[in-house]
Amino acid sequence: MVVTHLLRRPIGAVRRWPVESQQRSRRNAMVASTALAQRRAELDEVEEFLAALGRAPAPEAAAQAAHG
């Protein structure tokens, strides 16, 4: 009986681990996706601004900005 009581906590943690790990992974993916979408929107805004001025960004500068 004492052994069962002592094992209950670790067994519960082991059973919860896959679910909690998946939830953390999904959250991290959503945070990364949001950050990338914001970055892409900012790059698009800069491109539109430069196009409105009649200038296109230099190809190497645009490529560097797109890849971080």
Side-chain angles (χ1 to χ4, degrees):
M1 185 77 150
V2 173
V3 174
T4 304
H5 179 68
L6 291 175
L7 291 177
R8 189 170 292 152
R9 250 186 149 163
I11 290 173
V14 169
R15 286 184 177 170
R16 286 188 309 271
W17 176 80
V19 173
E20 292 172 355
S21 177
Q22 174 71 10
Q23 289 172 340
R24 282 190 304 272
S25 296
R26 287 176 51 199
R27 181 188 177 283
N28 289 343
M30 290 186 70
V31 167
S33 177
T34 300
L36 290 172
Q38 289 172 341
R39 182 178 172 96
R40 184 67 218 160
E42 289 171 1
L43 289 173
D44 288 346
E45 187 177 332
V46 168
E47 287 178 7
E48 290 172 9
F49 175 77
L50 292 175
L53 291 177
R55 292 186 274 173
E60 56 275 352
Q64 183 181 13
H67 297 291

